[in-house]
Amino acid sequence: MATIELDALTKVYGDGTRAVRELDLEIADGEFVVFVGPSGCGKTSALRMIAGLEEISGGTVRVDGEVVNDLPPKARDMAMIFQNYALYPHMNVAENMGFGLKMRGVDRTEIRRRVESAARVLGLSEVLGKRPRHLSGGQRQRVAMGRAIVREPQAFLMDEPLSNLDAKLRVQMRAEIARIQRDLQVTTIYVTHDQSEAMTLGDRVCVLRGGVLQQVDRPQVLYDTPANLFVAGFIGSPAMNLVEAELSERDGALWASFGPHALLVPPQVAAARPALSGYAGRRVALGIRPEDLADGAAPEGSTLNVTVDIKEDMGAEVYLHFAVDASPVTAEELREIVGDEALAAADEQTHHHGSPFIARVARGTGAQERQPVQLAVDTQRLHFFDLETGDGIYTRDGALAATA
C-alpha cells in the first residue's frame, strides 16, 4: 500500500493538446479515489502518467514520498486493470492469474498460494481450471482483477474496467470491486465516465473538465455543494434542473423568481449564504434537483404549479417531465455534459414550451400527463450559481464562495 501525491501534474501531447493541467492531489494510503468526467477530460491521461505508461510533461508523481517520474512502469509496483480483459485464450484461469508472477520468476508454490488466495476473494475457486471462453463476462473481469491482486502491488489503477459489461452486471461488479478494495485496503485510483459508479465507489471523487480538476471531495459533498455549474450538471441522475432566476428582497426576505414562479429562500439558507444578499436585483442560475420536488401541497413560496408533459413510471418512483416558462442556463460547461445535439433539442423545446424540468416523485403520485399538478419544492436545498463565472454561491466556511 502507498500514498500517491500529484504535484502540478501536466500532460501536453505532440499536437499541442493539453490533456491534464497542473493537477494537484494527495491520495492517502488505502484510499479509493475516483477520477470522473466526460470523454477528453484528461482522467485516463492522468492515470497513465501515474502508471508510467505516458510521459509526464510537467509536475511530479510521488509514491510514499519518492518521485517516480523517471521510473518504468514495472518499477512503480502498481497493477493496472484495463477495459479489455486481455486474457490468454489457451490458458486456464489459474494460469492467466499467475502468468505475470511466472514471468517475474516467482516460485511455483508461491504462485499457487497467491492464485488460490485471490480466487477465494473473487469467488473463482470453482473455475480455476476453465479457459476464458467458458466464463461469463463478470467472471472474466474478476480474472483480470485476480491477475492484478496476485501481484500484491502498492496500488491498483483501474481504467473503466466495467465498460464492457451490461447494465445489470455492472451494478453487481461495482459492489464486488468495492468489497474487494475494502477487504484488501489497497490504494486505488479508478477512472470512469459514469457518475453513478463514481458516487457509489469512491471514498473521494475528483471531477475533471478539460484537464482541470473542478472539485474533489466525498460523494455526498459533491452532491450537496457542487463547486460550479459543471459539477452540478454532471453529478446526480436525473441531472439537476437549472434555470435563470432573479433574486429580489421583499419585506426583508429573499425571493428567487423565474417566469411565473417565485420561491422564498428560507431565512436559514440566506443566513448561511450571506453572499446571496449581494446578488439581490441580479440574475443567477437556480438549481433544483429532481428529487427535491414532491407531488403535493406546500406553503406559499415553495410550490410550482405546472402541467405534466411526460410521465415515466420507473416502478419504485415516477419521473414527471414538464416545462417552466423561463430562460434556461446555457453555459458552455453544460454543453460539454449533454452534447451539442441534446442541447440543440433542449433549445428547440425551450423555444416552444419553456425550460425542461424533471421531478422525481413517489410511485403513488396522482399526476397525469397533460394535467396540471402542484409540486412542493424543498427550498432548504436550493442551489445558486453565478451566471458569469459558473461558481457556486456559498459561504467560505462551506469551502466554496462566490463574491458579488
Side-chain angles (χ1 to χ4, degrees), residues 225 271-274 394-401:
T225 55
R273 304 181 183 187
Y394 300 102
T395 58
R396 295 195 181 277
D397 58 5
L400 303 165

Side-chain angles (χ1 to χ4, degrees), residues 151-164:
R151 287 183 52 189
E152 298 179 356
Q154 292 191 89
F156 290 138
L157 306 179
M158 303 187 183
D159 186 12
E160 303 209 40
L162 306 183
S163 60
N164 292 332

Side-chain angles (χ1 to χ4, degrees), residues 9 22 90 135 195 202 204 220 230-231 268 303 346 356 390:
L9 187 65
E22 299 186 349
H90 63 287
L135 304 179
Q195 61 95 17
R204 286 189 300 157
Q220 193 63 47
F230 182 82
V231 179
Q268 55 269 46
T303 60

Side-chain angles (χ1 to χ4, degrees), residues 81 84-85 87 139-149:
I81 302 173
N84 190 334
Y85 313 140
L87 302 181
Q139 287 173 323
R140 292 176 191 175
Q141 180 60 70
R142 287 200 290 271
V143 173
M145 291 185 63
R147 186 171 52 198
I149 290 172

Side-chain angles (χ1 to χ4, degrees), residues 162-174 197:
L162 306 183
S163 60
N164 292 332
L165 304 180
D166 60 49
K168 185 176 181 180
L169 196 51
R170 283 175 73 115
V171 173
Q172 179 184 338
M173 285 303 302
R174 199 164 68 199
E197 277 184 21

Side-chain angles (χ1 to χ4, degrees), residues 80-99 122 124 127 130-148 164:
M80 192 95 173
I81 302 173
F82 299 93
Q83 299 177 33
N84 190 334
Y85 313 140
L87 302 181
Y88 296 105
H90 63 287
M91 295 182 184
N92 63 28
V93 169
E95 291 167 340
N96 265 286
M97 289 171 63
F99 183 72
L122 294 165
L124 294 172
V127 297
K130 292 186 177 182
R131 293 189 177 180
R133 67 175 178 271
H134 297 130
L135 304 179
S136 67
Q139 287 173 323
R140 292 176 191 175
Q141 180 60 70
R142 287 200 290 271
V143 173
M145 291 185 63
R147 186 171 52 198
N164 292 332

Side-chain angles (χ1 to χ4, degrees), residues 42 69 97 108 125 144 170 180 199 202 226 257 297 325 342 344 353 390:
N69 286 35
M97 289 171 63
R108 287 185 180 181
S125 297
R170 283 175 73 115
I180 291 164
M199 296 291 280
S257 304
D325 187 14
H353 306 289

